[in-house]
Amino acid sequence: TIYNGILAESLRDLETVTTAIADLRTRMDDAERWQRINEAANSMHTNLDHLRQFNRQNVQLSLSRARDAADRKSVRQLYDIN
């Protein structure tokens, strides 16, 4: 699913950051460590943007499928939107 893909990518990014910070046995200079951390951070921001976009699309799909005002009200309450 989309969520599994985003989660897997986020875990890879976290592993990259953890390795760059914690594993001092890894042979890299500070500039390379910062580069890896920045690349992972950029990827995390992209993942977050994709997650938010996917969630917005799901809300819109749920609202479009709602048959009447009561259904739309339930969807809005479910997603905590006005």
Side-chain angles (χ1 to χ4, degrees):
T1 67
I2 299 293
Y3 291 115
N4 287 337
I6 291 171
L7 180 59
E9 187 67 30
S10 296
L11 290 174
R12 279 191 294 271
D13 294 335
L14 184 58
E15 180 66 28
T16 298
V17 171
T18 302
T19 300
I21 292 172
D23 191 358
L24 298 178
R25 295 169 296 168
T26 304
R27 297 191 185 273
M28 66 179 88
D29 60 21
D30 288 343
E32 188 175 355
R33 286 184 197 280
W34 277 113
Q35 180 180 356
R36 287 189 183 188
I37 292 168
N38 284 331
E39 288 171 356
N42 290 337
S43 181
M44 289 178 187
H45 284 290
T46 299
N47 289 339
L48 180 59
D49 289 342
H50 289 160
L51 179 62
R52 287 178 174 160
Q53 179 182 8
F54 186 67
N55 286 342
R56 278 192 303 271
Q57 289 171 346
N58 284 335
V59 169
Q60 290 303 315
L61 181 60
S62 294
L63 286 172
S64 71
R65 289 180 176 171
R67 292 193 176 114
D68 58 26
D71 286 345
R72 286 188 292 280
K73 181 178 178 182
S74 295
V75 169
R76 285 189 168 91
Q77 286 175 337
L78 177 66
Y79 289 108
D80 195 30
I81 57 177
N82 295 327

